[in-house]
Every structure is written in structure tokens, then in C-alpha cells.
Amino acid sequence: VADKQDILNTFLNFYISTLENGKIVKSSYSNFMGYNALDSTASARISNANYVINLKYFFVKGNIIYTLGTFSPQNIQADYDRFINTFKLLQQ
């Protein structure tokens, strides 16, 4: 059984590799509402413009992985933390 951090990292790297000039700027492991998570900031070229991409990958209920993220033009600072903190997970 793979380590959860390795799985999160694999998902991040695969996604970034699909983007034109995709590059991970920084990433770190964290906790999101009690779940293992990987926070990352990346850059990529989308429709001939440079973008900053903020992603949070996290596990819920075993092996289900969810992603929250923002895409913003490089010259505009998105309030990523404010966006992420608007989410609440409901019990199923």
C-alpha cells in the first residue's frame, strides 16, 4: 500500500505535467479539516498567458482524493486562503 503523501504527490505531478510550461513553485503537506493534504503553488501558460495555480489535494474516507484550486493570471493575486476556508465537509 502506497504512502498517502506519495499518492498526493503523484496526483500533483501528473496534473502539472499536463500543462504547458507547468512548474511546481512550492508544495507542502498539511491537514485539511482533519484529513491529510498537499498544498501547492504552480505556474503554467494557459491561452498564451502566465497563470498561478493554487491546489489542495486531500484524502477523505480512505482512498478518495478531492482537489480544490484556483487559477489566476500571474499579475493578479487571488485570495486563495479565503477561498479554501469557505469550504466545509459534510459527513456522508
Side-chain angles (χ1 to χ4, degrees), residues 54 69-72 76-86:
N54 290 293
T70 62
F71 289 73
S72 60
I76 298 173
Q77 181 64 35
D79 194 346
Y80 176 69
D81 290 333
R82 183 175 178 202
F83 169 72
I84 291 297
N85 290 326
T86 65

Side-chain angles (χ1 to χ4, degrees), residues 38-57:
L38 175 62
D39 299 306
S40 64
T41 300
S43 63
R45 197 142 174 85
I46 303 170
S47 298
N48 295 320
N50 293 318
Y51 275 75
V52 173
I53 304 163
N54 290 293
L55 298 168
K56 180 183 288 285
Y57 287 90

Side-chain angles (χ1 to χ4, degrees), residues 4-15:
K4 286 187 176 186
Q5 289 184 343
D6 288 341
I7 294 170
L8 292 171
N9 225 351
T10 298
F11 272 81
L12 171 63
N13 283 300
F14 173 76
Y15 177 72

Side-chain angles (χ1 to χ4, degrees), residues 11-23:
F11 272 81
L12 171 63
N13 283 300
F14 173 76
Y15 177 72
I16 297 304
S17 73
T18 66
L19 301 173
E20 181 183 347
N21 295 331
K23 180 175 73 171

